[in-house]
Amino acid sequence: MNLYLPTRQVFYLLIVLILFPVITAAQEEKVLIDALREAEKNQDAVAMAEACYKLGVYYDDQDSVRLSTIYLRDGLRWSRKSGSIKQQASILNYLASVLSYAGTADSINQMYKLSADLFLQTGDTSKAADVMLNLGMELVNEGSYQKALEVKLKAMEYRLICGDSTNISFYFQQVGEVYKELKLNDKWKYYLEKARILAGNEKYARLRTRISILNDLGGIYADEQNYQAALKAYQEMINLSVMNNYPRGVATANANLVEVYFALDDPHHALESALKSYHMSKEGNAYRQISATENLAGAYKKLGEFNKAIVYYRQALNHPNILDYTDEYLVVLKGMAFVSAKIGNYADAFTYQSNYLSLHDSVNSLEVKKNISLLETSFRTREQSQQIALLSAQNQLQQEQIRRIRSLLLLGGIALFLFLFVIYLLFRQHRLRHFHSKLLLEQKLLRTQMNPHFIFNALAAVQQFLLKGDAAQASDYLGHFASLMRSVLKSSREEWISLKEEIGILESYLKIQKLRFETHLTYELVVDPALETEFIFIPPLMIQPFIENAIEHGINQMEKPGFILLKITESADNVIFKIEDNGPGLSSGASKKDNHLSYATTIFNERVKNLNKRLPRPISFSMNNIQTTDTSLSGLRVEICIPISSNIPI
């Protein structure tokens, strides 16, 4: 079957895959604009504000800052007309965040403060906490770390007081961001670890929070020089952002991958990631534009292309909003000082370095860090009173995880029990089947060892002796017969008997048959004197059926006297039993197909098959006409070979 699609079909499929997100976004935009027109038609101020707010959010997701700002401002105007305090608070918060990314920071902090106050007026402490967290993020961008930590800790306090644990991991992550900027990595990791644990439950972390945590984890791994783990975290961040149509996450991850690739000695991918981030930032806000530009400049600096690096550093330095982002401003100043010196412009290098040191000292002063520590201590003191609420959120997550683990363990235990039970049943069934087969084989063995014809003939011989008045002969016959019966019954229950015992059984059987047939039967029993018959063990009653077969179906059918030779020898650590008679052999069809012979041979083969499973070397068996080796003779030769090394009772 040809599984390959034609080239044209592949081309059409690719076009559909590429255009699908565009078509979907266009449909969503049309639905929102239709809702706005319907609200305008009905002169519904609340609906107008809501429609404008949704369009503002939509265009923000599409990185269209201008359109997002226009609709959000319209929404704020309509919400004031309608008198809806909650609408005003929500739109103010979102508008401030858009303006923050756009870099117009003049009124942002006031918008956040007003939004928080409006939410508090409505009694919505949870939403007020969200807004205060956004204000804290803005203060971090300004480099006001002491104020940022104070506001973020207050936001977390509000959130814990109201008992709303939705997206609570974001609060811990944002408090950690302050310590990240201050290079206090231990405290950053402390709060990020709490955020990561809580993010395991979707209730405690929204999509963007999970993306943000991945971003921070990548940063921590990079600081610890665990670059493969950092690469994995940023790649996961890109995949999650792409799946959820969040280009901002893709751009941020690519920007962070630049340093990781350089650390992994992969400059090609480093520059590729820097260029991706730079091109994606052109449609974004001021912060992303500055950050991506200085990141690309840094990539060219590391590659030694200083003329290209200074072009992009200067582009970042000339951005109208560069002073709003202290960290990025510091990076650009330091980079400009370095590349200026590299191209021989030492005067500019000195100026940039002086500006860098002056700003760096003011931001990272000991007094600021001291006040930060005091603030954290104060928060930790207040945190004790709200610890129950926090522990409740964590305990709920842990209990849910414990319940899940218990369920999995229970299911695993049940599955294991069922598996072991089935194994036990199969093993028990196998043992019963084996035991049943063994009993059945023993019963068959008993039936074939001394068949009813032999017993009938033996008793008839005794009767014959008594009628003749030969009591001594009858008594001798009965003695041999009784001894044989005892030996057969005893040995048929044993798995192994000594070779000496087996020879005794065979000799008793031949003597009885000799008394019965008198001169019509002679036999010779030859045992190799080198055999230690008392210390060699063999399976019982394996030879007698073939002697019986030679007498009943060979010699008994002849007019001339019969002769049986039983020869027991040793060869190559094997006991060899050779049985020969002077009967007709297997030349006639009737003899070859004799039921008793087939039955005895079948049972013998079954026993050999079972025994060979436990023996290191197999028992062998052959049955051939003597004529095949000497055409002047008749009769049948049976040869059975049993390994000596295996003849030990088990």
Side-chain angles (χ1 to χ4, degrees), residues 235-388:
Q235 290 290 359
E236 187 178 347
M237 179 180 170
I238 289 173
N239 294 337
L240 190 59
S241 299
V242 170
M243 285 171 57
N244 292 277
N245 193 25
Y246 187 52
R248 191 176 300 163
V250 178
T252 303
N254 273 299
N256 292 332
L257 278 171
V258 176
E259 292 296 327
V260 174
Y261 280 127
F262 272 123
L264 292 171
D265 197 23
D266 189 353
H268 172 75
H269 281 104
L271 183 60
E272 183 180 314
S273 294
L275 287 168
K276 282 182 182 178
S277 177
Y278 176 75
H279 290 306
M280 292 182 75
S281 71
K282 290 181 179 179
E283 300 299 325
N285 53 59
Y287 173 78
R288 284 179 56 198
Q289 291 171 5
I290 295 168
S291 177
T293 305
E294 60 93 356
N295 209 15
L296 181 57
Y300 281 122
K301 182 185 76 172
K302 287 196 174 185
L303 290 170
E305 300 183 33
F306 302 119
N307 288 321
K308 287 185 178 180
I310 203 166
V311 169
Y312 289 103
Y313 274 133
R314 189 170 286 118
Q315 183 180 329
L317 193 62
N318 292 332
H319 196 284
N321 304 105
I322 185 65
L323 297 178
D324 294 332
Y325 304 101
T326 308
D327 288 338
E328 282 62 37
Y329 190 28
L330 282 169
V331 173
V332 172
L333 287 174
K334 189 175 181 180
M336 284 293 288
F338 181 86
V339 295
S340 295
K342 284 292 183 181
I343 62 176
N345 194 344
Y346 299 109
D348 285 351
F350 177 77
T351 302
Y352 289 127
Q353 183 68 12
S354 298
N355 291 338
Y356 167 77
L357 291 173
S358 176
L359 181 59
H360 182 270
D361 290 343
S362 66
V363 170
N364 293 279
S365 67
L366 291 174
E367 187 63 30
V368 169
K369 292 192 175 182
K370 181 180 177 182
N371 290 335
I372 288 289
S373 297
L374 289 174
L375 272 172
E376 188 193 9
T377 303
S378 175
F379 169 72
R380 291 289 179 87
T381 303
R382 293 196 308 271
E383 189 183 28
Q384 298 301 320
S385 61
Q386 289 122 20
Q387 196 67 27
I388 295 176

Side-chain angles (χ1 to χ4, degrees), residues 428-489:
R428 186 169 176 269
Q429 186 179 8
H430 174 74
R431 288 191 63 186
L432 288 173
R433 190 183 298 116
H434 178 72
F435 182 69
H436 177 72
S437 299
K438 184 178 177 182
L439 289 178
L440 186 62
L441 198 58
E442 288 176 353
Q443 292 170 4
K444 289 179 179 178
L445 180 62
L446 284 172
R447 287 197 297 268
T448 56
Q449 296 302 319
M450 300 289 121
N451 68 62
H453 291 95
F454 165 72
I455 296 173
F456 175 78
N457 291 332
L459 293 176
V462 172
Q463 184 184 33
Q464 207 53 31
F465 290 134
L466 291 173
L467 289 174
K468 290 179 180 179
D470 193 347
Q473 189 80 334
S475 177
D476 187 35
Y477 191 94
L478 281 173
H480 286 299
F481 183 75
S483 176
L484 178 62
M485 289 297 101
R486 279 195 302 272
S487 298
V488 168
L489 291 172

